[in-house]
Structure formats: structure tokens, C-alpha cells
Amino acid sequence: MWQYWADSSCSGHGLECDRRGNIYAGADDKIRSSLSTVNLSNFFRFRRSSLAGRLLHQKKKMMETELHDVKPVPPKGHVISPDSPSSASPVDDASQKDDRPLLKSDSCSSSSGRISAESLEELNKKFAAFARHDVYGPLGRGELPLVEKLLLGVACVTLLPLRVVLATLILFFYYLVCRICTLFSSPNRDEAAEEQEDFAHMRGWRRTVVVSCGRFLSRVMLFVFGFYWISESFRDLEQEQSPPQGKSSSQNDGKIQSQRPERPGAIVCNHVSYVDILYHMSSSFSSFVAKRSVGKLPLVGLISKCLGCVFVQRESKSSDFKGVAGIVIERVKESHEDESAPMMMLFPEGTTTNGDFLLPFKTGGFLAGAPVIPVILRYPYQRFSAAWDSISGFRHVILLLCQFVNHLEVIRLPVYYPSQEEKTDPKLYANNIRRLMAREGDLVMSDIGLAEKRIYIAALNGLLSQC
């Protein structure tokens, strides 16, 4: 190639050249010099391009060899045939689009009914305290029979609007009563915790009107909700009092003695539904612990302050927790010592259940060491359960108002007077109260709590959303 280029260069200028392209001496010196320079530059440029081409060619050949040596690893249980595209061309196999779904829902397959039923049964056994067993199923989203659908449809267009209007009027009327009674009256503020204020320490006619109207209108509200009759029973345990299992009689001497004149400081009750609040408002108009957001709600916020609620931020781990616990202890002691002070309502479980179980008690309300009144609430049902366990609040209110009759049973136990050892050990005090309530209310004691309830609800949502 070089010889051809040299010969053509020389002949193109009318010169004679040797085999290496050198110009004979007979040529003009100026022409010889210029042509020699051109030849040498073109020669080195060609050599560089040829060397780069060979390197690229060798690199490409090595890459092809490496690709041919690579063998795809078949998945477990899969055999690659010699004629399959994946064995013939690994590159083409990698570029092919995989149309298989990333997640395959077994619950939506042909055996979805069996798998869902087994998973649901397993969840209900593990989280039995929050499982629903009424017609509406888990989360209130179960498949309804035709008769129930017809009843629900009729109630939605007749009973539901009427009850919503009446409940709104009652709530608005009581709000006006509270607003008038709190005019020109400053709320009681506690410096130990932020955003703690109430009107529960009003005196005179203001407090009398607030309490009397509150108790009456709460019972009317229950009637509107379908609780026409409330069955109340009082247990006399003086003759059948026995020490709880694993505890000596010295720890329980004089626990329930009606001859003691001491006033109880709180009411201890199992927590089943938001209806619990309405019942205790109608019976004793006691204060209770509520979320901080409740105090900011329209209408309900002022009513809760007239009740003397203690507001807490459940998700907060800030330092005001000790201040809130201190307020509860002070309220219990104050109610124990002062008859005019509002009694404190305690739900020591910390969350609601389906009404058949009793969760572990928190000890904060028992630190005061004051006597308490144990109360047990049950909600018998045939179609829809009034227990607010794992169903959403909005759905529960709608279904509750669509049920023509709702039932509530109340078991009141005598005042529980703690022993000296229980006063110094709040955990022992709480456990003994829990055993007593479980025995008298025929409740099953469970070891799970709010954290497990959230897990259960999340698992149910995930299970039901697969189909």
C-alpha cells in the first residue's frame, strides 16, 4: 500500500521515485523538500490510524469471545433446552422483556377463598381481643346477606338522616348551654402541662346547670342512638370476696367494705366503644382523659372542657407526660377528698376491645392509692356489634345509627378500697382490680395492647385489599 501511494505521489508531480518513495536527485531541490515532508507526515498519520484500528479490532474480538463464554444460569427447577433462545443468545435473552408480574396475589387466585379464610382465622386467633364476629365481618367490610342489605338500605334513607339531625340538635343545644354558663368565667389552667384548661371547677348555679343538662342530654343522645333500655346491675361482693390467685389475704384485707365512709376517687371501666363516654356522662358526669385534638374540635371542645377532661398527646414522648400524669393523680386525690370535685373516669386498658377481653391495665391512675369504683360494660348484639374495635370510626357511626335497637349492659361493683400494700404498689393494685373485673364480668384477660391492635388492623387492610 505504501509503495502504491509513493508511486502515485511521484508520478502525479512528474518525478521519478525509488521503491521507498524517495525523489531522485535530478529533481528540483524545492520540490523535493516539499514532497518529502508530505510523504513523511502522511506515512505517520497512516501508521497511527492503522495501529488504532488493529487495537479496536482486537478489543472487539476479545469482548465477543467473553460473551460467548458466558452461560446463563437457569432458575431452580428450570431446564434450558439447546434450541431455546436463551441458550443460543445470552444477549438477546437479557434484552427480552419479562412480562411476569412482580407480585402474584395468591388470595385472588382460584383458591382465594380458602387462603383468605385461613389467613383471617389465624389473625383472629392471634389478635382475638380485637376481632369482630358480627354480620358485617372484619373492619365492617364483610359480604352481607341479602336481608341485611335490604335492612341497611332502608335504614340509610329513613333512620340515619333522622338520628343525625336529632343528634346534631342535641349537641348544638348543649354547646349553647355550656357557652352561656362559661361566659365571663375564665378556665382553670394548669402550669404543669401545656394546653390544660377546664371549667370543671365552677361553683354555684353554673356548675349545677352544666352537670344537670349534661347528664339528661347524654341519656337523650343514647336514646337517639338506639339504646332505649340500659340494663344495670349492682354486685354485692362482701360475702363472696376472696383473695385473687397468687396473692395472700393480707394484701386484700378490707378491699370491699361498704361501712367505710371514704369517697372513691375514680371510676375504673373496661373500654369498648365511644358510647362508653355517653353512658358515664349520663350516670356520673365524670372527667376523662382525651386526645389533645378533642379540645380543639368545634362544639365538642368546649363540652370536653366543661367535663374537666385531661388532654394528652398519645404519640408524643415529650417531657409533658409527667405533667399530665401528675394532673390525673391530683384529680383522683381531689375527687377522693372533695365531694364537690368531679370524679375521674379511667380506662386503664388504653384502647378499645371487642368487649369479651380485658387488656393489661396501665398503672398511672392507681398511683394516687385512692378507692375506685369498678364498672363493666357489655354490648350484646345480634347483627351489628357496638364495640369499636377494629372498624373505622366513620363506618362504625353509620352502621350504629342504622341499627334500630342497640343494647347496653352495665355491671357496677362496690367501691374497691386498696390495702396498704396496694397503695405502695400501684402495679399490684391495678392487677387485682383487673382480676376482679375479669371474674365478675366473665371477661378473658389478654396480654396484647394498642401496638398489637395497630398491627392487626394493618394486616386486615392488607389482606382485604389483595382482592
Side-chain angles (χ1 to χ4, degrees):
M1 184 176 180
W2 163 251
Q3 182 62 36
Y4 172 79
W5 179 84
D7 293 342
S8 61
S9 297
C10 294
S11 60
H13 290 81
L15 301 174
E16 293 184 0
C17 303
D18 58 8
R19 294 182 60 85
R20 294 183 176 274
N22 295 323
I23 303 175
Y24 287 127
D28 187 79
D29 294 337
K30 186 175 182 180
I31 297 176
R32 185 190 305 112
S33 175
S34 61
L35 289 177
S36 299
T37 304
V38 171
N39 293 343
L40 290 176
S41 63
N42 290 335
F43 170 75
F44 286 115
R45 187 183 299 113
F46 173 78
R47 295 287 294 176
R48 286 194 299 270
S49 63
S50 299
L51 180 60
R54 283 197 300 270
L55 291 176
L56 289 174
H57 178 72
Q58 292 178 0
K59 188 173 182 181
K60 181 178 179 181
K61 192 172 183 180
M62 291 175 61
M63 292 177 63
E64 291 177 354
T65 304
E66 292 177 357
L67 287 175
H68 282 291
D69 293 338
V70 175
K71 295 182 179 180
V73 180
K76 187 176 181 180
H78 178 69
V79 180
I80 301 179
S81 62
D83 298 333
S84 62
S86 58
S87 61
S89 178
V91 179
D92 295 339
D93 177 70
S95 62
Q96 289 177 357
K97 183 179 180 181
D98 191 357
D99 295 331
R100 294 174 299 174
L102 295 178
L103 294 176
K104 184 178 180 181
S105 177
D106 293 336
S107 62
C108 298
S109 62
S110 58
S111 59
S112 60
R114 180 179 58 84
I115 295 176
S116 299
E118 292 177 356
S119 302
L120 182 60
E121 184 179 359
E122 183 180 355
L123 282 175
N124 290 340
K125 287 182 179 179
K126 189 175 182 180
F127 305 96
F130 313 116
R132 296 187 68 85
H133 304 288
D134 58 1
V135 178
Y136 290 82
L139 301 179
R141 291 155 49 182
E143 184 66 26
L144 299 178
L146 180 60
V147 176
E148 187 64 29
K149 291 181 179 179
L150 293 176
L151 292 176
L152 183 61
V154 173
C156 283
V157 298
T158 57
L159 195 60
L160 178 62
L162 177 62
R163 285 180 168 177
V164 169
V165 171
L166 292 177
T168 304
L169 292 176
I170 294 172
L171 181 64
F172 186 73
F173 177 75
Y174 187 54
Y175 169 78
L176 292 179
V177 172
C178 294
R179 176 58 66 188
I180 293 174
C181 292
T182 55
L183 286 176
F184 311 108
S185 177
S186 57
N188 177 49
R189 290 185 173 87
D190 198 302
E191 299 179 356
E194 299 178 357
E195 302 184 22
Q196 295 293 340
E197 60 179 24
D198 63 85
F199 295 94
H201 295 78
M202 293 186 301
R203 296 292 186 263
W205 66 271
R206 296 172 183 265
R207 182 64 183 173
T208 303
V209 172
V210 168
V211 173
S212 301
C213 289
R215 295 183 63 175
F216 174 75
L217 293 178
S218 297
R219 185 62 189 93
V220 174
M221 184 75 80
L222 287 172
F223 187 88
V224 171
F225 280 11
F227 295 92
Y228 309 120
W229 304 277
I230 297 179
S231 174
E232 294 186 346
S233 60
F234 299 85
R235 298 283 180 87
D236 187 5
L237 306 179
E238 291 187 56
Q239 302 299 328
E240 52 186 271
Q241 174 63 27
S242 61
Q245 184 179 1
K247 303 298 177 182
S248 63
S249 59
S250 61
Q251 297 175 354
N252 306 280
D253 51 350
K255 271 187 175 182
I256 303 176
Q257 297 181 7
S258 58
Q259 64 268 23
R260 288 196 180 186
E262 295 184 67
R263 183 176 187 264
I267 299 174
V268 177
C269 183
N270 62 319
H271 203 6
V272 185
S273 174
Y274 50 83
V275 183
D276 304 348
I277 304 297
L278 287 176
Y279 169 75
H280 288 292
M281 285 181 62
S282 65
S283 62
S284 59
F285 202 78
S286 52
S287 305
F288 58 93
V289 179
K291 291 182 180 180
R292 185 169 295 174
S293 58
V294 174
K296 301 178 181 179
L297 293 175
L299 304 181
V300 179
L302 179 61
I303 296 175
S304 63
K305 292 178 182 179
C306 289
L307 277 168
C309 293
V310 178
F311 302 108
V312 298
Q313 188 68 25
R314 174 176 287 179
E315 305 299 334
S316 177
K317 300 296 182 182
S318 59
S319 59
D320 69 340
F321 172 77
K322 294 183 179 179
V324 171
I327 294 176
V328 174
I329 296 173
E330 290 179 3
R331 291 280 187 87
V332 174
K333 290 182 177 179
E334 182 182 6
S335 176
H336 173 53
E337 298 170 357
D338 186 2
E339 294 186 358
S340 61
M343 189 171 294
M344 198 70 195
M345 180 71 242
L346 300 178
F347 297 107
E349 295 172 285
T351 187
T352 55
T353 65
N354 58 12
D356 298 327
F357 291 79
L358 203 59
L359 306 183
F361 281 6
K362 301 183 183 301
T363 59
F366 301 93
L367 293 172
V372 297
I373 302 177
V375 178
I376 304 167
L377 301 182
R378 303 188 69 110
Y379 294 86
Y381 65 91
Q382 293 181 353
R383 295 167 47 229
F384 175 74
S385 173
W388 186 28
D389 36 36
S390 56
I391 186 174
S392 65
F394 178 78
R395 185 185 297 269
H396 189 275
V397 171
I398 297 299
L399 296 179
L400 181 70
L401 296 180
C402 287
Q403 188 162 249
F404 184 74
V405 179
N406 293 296
H407 303 277
L408 173 59
E409 294 180 356
V410 183
I411 301 176
R412 287 183 170 273
L413 303 181
V415 179
Y416 188 103
Y417 296 93
S419 63
Q420 188 61 38
E421 187 172 356
E422 289 173 328
K423 290 181 180 180
T424 58
D425 189 353
K427 187 175 182 179
L428 174 64
Y429 189 8
N431 289 337
N432 289 341
I433 290 285
R434 182 178 178 230
R435 291 191 186 95
L436 175 65
M437 294 176 62
R439 184 179 72 246
E440 298 301 324
D442 195 20
L443 303 175
V444 180
M445 291 193 296
S446 175
D447 294 331
I448 60 178
L450 179 60
E452 288 78 9
K453 181 179 182 179
R454 291 172 174 170
I455 295 174
Y456 174 64
I457 295 176
L460 281 181
N461 284 316
L463 181 64
L464 296 180
S465 62
Q466 288 180 0
C467 292

